[in-house]
Structures are given as C-alpha cells and as structure tokens.
Amino acid sequence: MSDRTISGKAAIVGIGATEFSKKSGRSEMRLAVEAVLAACADAGIAPAEVDGISTYTMDNNPEMEVHRLIGGKALKMFSRIDYGGGAACGPLLQAAMAISTGICECVLVYRAMNERSEYRFGTGVADRGADPTHETAAFGWHSPHGLITPASWVAMAASAYLDKYDATTLDLGRVSVGGRSMAVNNPNAWFYQKPITLADHQNSRWICEPLRLLDCCQESDGAVACLVVSAERAKDLRQKPAYIRGAAQGSCDDQQSMTSYYRDDVTRLTECALVAEQLYRQAGVGPNDIQTAVIYDHFTPYVLMQLEEYGFCGRGEAKDFVRGGEHLMSGTLPINTHGGQLGEAYIHGMNGVAEGVRQIRGQSVNQVDNVKHVVVTAGTGVPTSGLLLGAEN
Amino acid sequence: MEQALRPRIGVNKDTQFFWDGLKGGKLLIQHCKNCDQLQHPPGACCKHCQSFELDALESCGRGVIHSFVRMHHPIQPPFEAGHPIILVQLEEGTRIIAGLINSTPEQVRIGERVKLTITRCDDEVTLALFEPA
C-alpha cells in the first residue's frame, strides 16, 4: 500500500451530544458548544487544544465563533463540506488529512441544528429566488411540477428501483421497522421504547407515493461533535480509539443534487459505490469484514440501494436481505443500532458517526459482538461520503 | 380570488433557450454541434465532448414513463393531493421531469406511453406537461 494514505493515521477519540428533541429551547450555537465541550471531556482533551475544525453546509454555526467560544487560540484549518447530509463523513476525511499531513493536532467536527423548532428542514423549495445561479436553475427543472421536497426527490428514484427489482413498499417498511426496533433500547432516541410494526408502516399516510410517513426520517433539534487526533496520541487518551481506517467522498456520473434522474441507471447510487471502493481499498478490507454499519436513513429506499452499493448484498438483492432480517440484531449485519435517523434523531448523519464510534468502543445500547470494523455512510442522492472505522490499526 | 401559482422556473444564460422554446410551443433538447449528442438538463458546454458549440433540436413530444410519484404532502394550490409527477424517457433518448395530466390511475405506470402537451400556466411559466398517449 502506498505511503500516501490516511488509513490508520488518525482516530476519533471523543464524542459528545446534546439531547435530541423537537424543541431544544436553546440557540443552535449553544447546542454546538455543548456537544463540543462534551466531546472534549469524553476524550480528556482541553477545548483550547482544538486547532482544526470541519463541518458541513446547512449548519448555521460559523467555525470561528465555535472556536472563539471554546477558548481556541490558533485555528489552522477550517473547512465546510457541501451537499448537507451527503457530507456527513466528509469532515472526518478532512480531519484525517489534516492530521496525517501534520497540519493539525486536534480536529473538531460538529453538527448543531434546530431544524424542527426554528425551521422545517423537510419543507422543500417551493419558494426560491429569481437569481440566475446554477442551484435555482436546477430546482427549476422539478419544482414547477410540484416535485419540491426531499421525500419527493427520493420517491422518484425509489419508484423505479421497486419496479426494476420487484421490491415492494413492505421492503421499505422492513427498514423502518428495523430502525425503530433499535431505538427501543436507546434512551437518547426520540422513539425510545416506541416500536412499530409493518402494519403501522403500511397504515401511515402517504407523503409522496411510494413513500409513506414512516419511510421518512425525523426533523430534530440537537447537536453531535467528534474529536480527532493522531493514532499515536489516541493510545494515551481516556477512550478506546476508533481508528479512521478509511474516509472518502464521492460524486459520479450525471450527478445532481437529489435528482440524478438523467444518468444511465436511475436505480443506482454510483457515488456510493465510488465511496465504498475507496473505503475498502484504504482499509484493506471488504464488506465481509464489517460487523455492523450505520447506513444513512433519511429515507428508507436509499438504505436498500446503499446496502447494494456498499457490497453487503448483490444488486437488486437488498429486498431479500431485509426480508431475511439480516439488518436486525439477529442478522448478519445489524445496521443503525442507535435507531438511525428514523428512530434516534436526524442530526444529518453526525449521530451515525457517533454510533460507529460507540460500536468500536463497545458502548452501544445494541452492542454487536466482536466489532472490528464499522462502515458509516452519509446522505445519498447527493454527492456523498463514508467512513470505515477500525478497532485496531 | 387570485390564481395560485406554481413554483417558479429557474432561468439563466444556459437554460434561457429551453424556456423560450416552450413559450414558442417547442420542447427543445440541447444538442452538440460538434459530437451530435443530446443532453438534458442543458449545460454550459457539452458533457460528452466539452464543446461550447451548442444548439437545440425540437423533441417529437413522445415518450414513456420511466418513473413516477404521486405527491401528497405538503400540497399547496394549484396542486391537488395525489397528483402524478413523471420522469419521461423521450424518444430522442433524454429524460425530463413533468406533470402528468388527464390521466386515470391505471395510466400512471412505468412503461406507459405519454405525449407532450405544452401548457401555459401563467404569464411567466409555460411548462412541458404530458398526458397519456
């Protein structure tokens, strides 16, 4: 393997979070700082040591203000990755690159939003400006026809996928039921002790056919933060290190933001395949070496498609995977053991990164046995990212 | 009561021809004069050969439903709950998102044939809608 790799050079050594709610009652900045301080305490690192920050777009908290408030003195790298939830693992790539190249010693990653109480994240884009930007022009291909929400953009791809592979909305329901079954055991989950059945899923109201309410993640208030340092330093800190064995971003053929309807195969998430290939190559492992995964579940159809793109099952076989319950605690690859964004909270994927770390440490409420490697994915349908964490280097 | 308007189209220098075409009664597809390929959505250059020598050809208006949804929530006028939106595979090979009108539920299926019906929605917005063929 080339010396030019980030694999194993850095580790996540601290995670912190606020409570997850529908109304935090506090500013987004306060949520950010609370999560950051919790992550620092978890690692046993003084907040002022933070010398790098990476977050991703749609977060409203400037890096400089977070750094100022935690007593930072010298911020040497700050970056903000585009495409919202698709970037969820991108900041960890930034962190690993900054540390492996000697730019930074301690990189902070955070996400803090009042996306339920202060604005509604899933409302969509019916009202846009009349500016000539690419984004406005791109929305204009879809929104005048009423295709205006994230759920509707996913539904268009899902409809073709279900048709092509003879999957049904029951298979979507199996993803949803699975996530909620994990949240049952998670006191931090919004849907703690609130399981659902397939019938509940089928009886929930249409949002945009073929998607029902219970195919859609929540809108949540809350924050999550992670702290990344070098693998050498990680050995001497409070927690068992979660080594970053792989971190990658991907954007592919005819990529659009949530509306890649013009590529050869609408049922593919080629950007996820690109991320998966990089992760496995960096880490020197394959899908069979992964004991548990956090599969970004903003909408259930993309969980099925991701299972295929990450190689956990064959093309078109995700329906069989969930029919066999392989995604549940009793299955071959328990996924979203925190409850996912369907069950725990929608912190735009950063809560999934934290769960990946807990699985490596042995701290999950739904702990999988003998976890050596965890895959964490990010928002799909947009340029995306992924993470492969290892218990050992 | 004032007419409820659809969300606005997005116009810039790369897409102006498309919207002007609809106002003139034509569904235009961007065409590369260098490599003869088509692309939709249109772009600043040809995605196949990066040529800036672009023009447009008029679609025949025939296609099949490649995928579809029925939108239920949120719904604001002028849309009605459950209205179908389709991804049309045009005969020319490119795809386009469009509303499907004048259809029965049985006609909203993948593989069904549809035909273009250019519709003036208001002073600013003329759209390529489709109906069962």
Side-chain angles (χ1 to χ4, degrees):
Chain A
M1 186 177 290
S2 164
D3 289 341
R4 292 167 55 210
T5 179
I6 58 158
S7 184
K9 302 280 176 64
I12 302 175
V13 294
I15 53 175
T18 64
E19 83 287 3
F20 304 132
S21 74
K22 302 297 179 190
K23 190 173 185 181
S24 71
R26 316 196 285 295
S27 72
E28 293 185 317
M29 184 59 74
R30 173 154 175 179
L31 297 180
V33 173
E34 286 181 13
V36 168
L37 295 178
C40 291
D42 182 57
I45 288 178
E49 284 191 48
V50 168
D51 63 355
I53 290 181
S54 185
T55 181
Y56 41 120
T57 55
M58 299 183 191
D59 189 295
N60 301 307
N61 305 293
E63 297 89 323
M64 65 174 181
E65 178 68 0
V66 171
H67 188 246
R68 187 178 78 87
L69 290 175
I70 64 172
K73 297 289 186 278
L75 190 60
K76 300 169 184 168
M77 187 278 291
F78 32 96
S79 72
R80 181 166 290 239
I81 314 296
D82 205 353
Y83 310 115
C89 298
L92 282 308
L93 171 59
Q94 297 282 304
M97 289 195 295
I99 284 166
S100 62
T101 52
I103 304 295
C104 294
E105 297 298 325
C106 181
V107 180
L108 169 66
V109 173
Y110 64 83
R111 189 65 162 177
M113 301 180 85
N114 282 330
E115 73 188 49
R116 180 61 178 80
S117 66
E118 292 189 337
Y119 39 92
R120 295 296 300 271
F121 209 60
T123 302
V125 295
D127 300 315
R128 289 174 290 108
D131 58 66
T133 61
H134 174 80
E135 189 171 67
T136 290
F139 279 131
W141 300 120
H142 315 112
S143 57
H145 299 285
L147 201 72
I148 56 166
T149 62
S152 71
W153 300 325
V154 174
M156 189 63 79
S159 188
Y161 175 86
L162 296 179
D163 181 75
K164 180 170 182 178
Y165 294 115
D166 290 324
T168 74
T169 65
L170 284 168
D171 299 315
L172 305 181
R174 290 180 174 99
V175 173
S176 189
V177 170
R180 293 288 291 269
S181 76
M182 300 288 188
V184 162
N185 299 323
N186 180 1
N188 297 319
W190 180 255
F191 289 117
Y192 176 49
Q193 295 180 336
K194 291 193 178 73
I196 57 168
T197 64
L198 262 185
D200 293 332
H201 170 270
Q202 292 286 304
N203 292 329
S204 68
R205 64 191 168 98
W206 289 119
I207 298 299
C208 183
E209 290 178 58
L211 298 195
R212 296 179 168 89
L213 177 66
L214 291 177
D215 291 305
C216 306
C217 72
Q218 313 171 55
E219 294 168 302
S220 306
D221 285 10
V224 176
C226 298
L227 214 54
V228 182
V229 302
S230 71
E232 294 75 34
R233 186 173 181 199
K235 291 176 193 150
D236 303 324
L237 293 171
R238 278 191 193 148
Q239 303 284 356
K240 177 179 175 180
Y243 294 104
I244 298 177
R245 295 285 304 279
Q249 291 181 293
S251 182
C252 271
D253 57 307
D254 254 318
Q255 186 80 53
Q256 307 276 330
S257 181
M258 300 297 286
T259 53
S260 296
Y261 306 142
Y262 313 100
R263 57 177 41 157
D264 289 344
D265 188 346
V266 180
T267 68
R268 286 288 312 272
L269 294 168
T270 47
E271 56 277 7
C272 288
L274 175 61
V275 168
E277 182 270 324
Q278 294 179 80
L279 292 182
Y280 295 140
R281 182 169 42 80
Q282 288 174 21
V285 301
N288 290 334
D289 301 309
I290 309 301
Q291 288 75 41
T292 179
V294 180
I295 307 292
Y296 196 96
D297 57 340
H298 48 351
F299 299 100
T300 56
Y302 278 162
V303 173
L304 298 180
M305 292 159 77
Q306 285 180 86
L307 286 169
E308 297 171 9
E309 299 293 356
Y310 280 86
F312 296 124
C313 60
R315 184 85 54 217
E317 293 173 3
K319 65 177 189 297
D320 308 305
F321 190 90
V322 296
R323 286 173 192 174
E326 304 298 352
H327 62 311
L328 307 176
M329 279 310 286
S330 54
T332 52
L333 184 81
I335 66 168
N336 300 345
T337 49
H338 55 321
Q341 303 187 104
L342 294 160
E344 188 188 58
Y346 184 58
I347 314 297
H348 240 175
M350 193 50 65
N351 52 324
V353 173
E355 177 65 7
V357 172
R358 283 189 293 266
Q359 283 288 354
I360 292 289
R361 291 178 179 179
Q363 295 175 348
S364 172
V365 292
N366 292 301
Q367 184 62 44
V368 175
D369 293 336
N370 302 314
V371 173
K372 294 186 173 66
H373 303 105
V374 180
V375 160
V376 182
T377 76
T380 46
V382 288
T384 191
S385 56
L387 192 60
L388 199 155
L389 298 174
E392 292 168 9
N393 234 347
Chain B
M1 206 173 97
E2 253 183 71
Q3 181 195 4
L5 299 181
R6 287 171 178 253
R8 302 291 85 185
I9 60 177
V11 181
N12 65 26
K13 290 183 177 65
D14 296 326
T15 67
Q16 181 85 50
F17 78 93
F18 176 89
W19 300 108
D20 288 348
L22 287 178
K23 283 184 176 171
K26 294 177 179 178
L27 172 56
L28 298 179
I29 306 173
Q30 193 170 46
H31 166 258
C32 177
K33 291 200 271 189
N34 183 52
C35 74
D36 205 28
Q37 300 240 41
L38 300 175
Q39 63 183 7
H40 184 85
C45 75
C46 172
K47 69 173 182 173
H48 303 282
C49 75
Q50 290 68 56
S51 169
F52 294 102
E53 295 301 314
L54 302 165
D55 59 7
L57 66 76
E58 182 180 358
S59 169
C60 70
R62 292 188 298 273
V64 297
I65 298 178
H66 192 76
S67 191
F68 71 94
V69 303
R70 292 177 191 278
M71 187 69 182
H72 290 267
H73 178 82
I75 284 290
Q76 286 181 345
F79 300 113
E80 293 178 1
H83 72 96
I85 309 165
I86 61 176
L87 178 62
V88 183
Q89 176 90 46
L90 294 170
E91 274 192 13
E92 289 81 5
T94 56
R95 299 191 198 115
I96 184 171
I97 289 286
L100 182 69
I101 58 174
N102 304 327
S103 66
T104 61
E106 309 80 67
Q107 290 170 320
V108 190
R109 277 208 307 248
I110 289 173
E112 288 290 312
R113 297 194 164 279
V114 292
K115 64 180 187 214
L116 175 68
T117 170
I118 292 176
T119 304
R120 184 178 180 279
C121 302
D122 57 59
D123 288 347
E124 290 176 348
V125 175
T126 297
L127 294 178
L129 303 182
F130 283 77
E131 61 185 6

